[in-house]
Structures are given as C-alpha cells and as structure tokens.
Amino acid sequence: MIRSMLKGVVLLFAVCMVVGVVQGIRNPMPQRPETKVSPEEDTVGKDIMLRAYAVGRSLSQAGKVKPTSAEVDAMSRRLQTAMGNKSSQRWFKQYFEAGFWEGWKGR
C-alpha cells in the first residue's frame, strides 16, 4: 500500500519535472541586455567608492559603532550634496555603500 503510494508520488514528481523542462526549453527566459556605463559615469563611480572607502575605513579604525543603513544613507546623501552630484540618489548610494562597507571591513 505505502509502496504504491510512494510510486505514485515519484511518478507525479517525474511528470512535473518533465513538464517543467519542456516549458523551459519552449519558453526560455528573455536575456537582459547589458547596461552600458559611460566612461565618465565609471570614473565618477570609482571616485565615489574611493571616498566612501576612506570614510568607512577611518570610522572603523576610530572604533566607532557599526552604523545602521539609515546612517549610511545619510552619509551618502551628504557626500552627494558636497560633491554637487546631480545623478539619482539610488545610483550614488549603490557606489557609496559598496565603497563604505569595503572600507569598514578593511580594518
């Protein structure tokens, strides 16, 4: 009795797997085009990351308490204003956070 139920479950699982594979072959996921970053944006992003790295490293070496995400966001906004950067906050924040946390880890 239990063996026949187990065989039924295994057969159902196998059928579902085959259906999933066939659907994946017939309808592949669309490929996302790679976003092209201009050399100017790349240079600015690296500059942001270097500055954020320096901030993160100096704070961690000074023995400060690990900041919250809201505090890091505030630091990012202050640096963006100080640099006079007009790009979107999200773009700037991504570069800032990447540099800041690398600096923080680099004690």
Side-chain angles (χ1 to χ4, degrees):
M1 172 87 175
I2 293 178
R3 282 189 177 177
S4 62
M5 288 174 55
L6 184 58
K7 286 181 184 178
V9 169
V10 170
L11 182 62
L12 180 64
F13 179 73
V15 169
C16 290
M17 288 293 295
V18 169
V19 169
V21 169
V22 170
Q23 284 181 346
I25 292 171
R26 289 181 63 196
N27 302 321
M29 289 183 57
Q31 296 294 325
R32 291 184 179 174
E34 290 187 26
T35 56
K36 302 287 184 186
V37 177
S38 68
E40 295 84 23
E41 282 187 332
D42 192 38
T43 303
V44 172
K46 287 179 182 174
D47 184 38
I48 294 165
M49 288 177 71
L50 287 173
R51 291 177 187 222
Y53 180 89
V55 170
R57 187 165 173 94
S58 63
L59 286 177
S60 69
Q61 287 180 341
K64 299 290 184 185
V65 176
K66 187 175 182 180
T68 64
S69 63
E71 291 170 332
V72 173
D73 183 41
M75 283 187 263
S76 169
R77 283 186 271 118
R78 281 194 301 268
L79 182 63
Q80 185 174 13
T81 302
M83 289 179 67
N85 190 293
K86 303 293 184 202
S87 61
S88 72
Q89 173 62 29
R90 175 176 284 169
W91 177 85
F92 192 94
K93 185 179 175 187
Q94 287 175 336
Y95 281 103
F96 183 86
E97 285 183 340
F100 181 84
W101 291 118
E102 284 301 314
W104 186 270
K105 290 189 304 188
R107 293 190 203 203

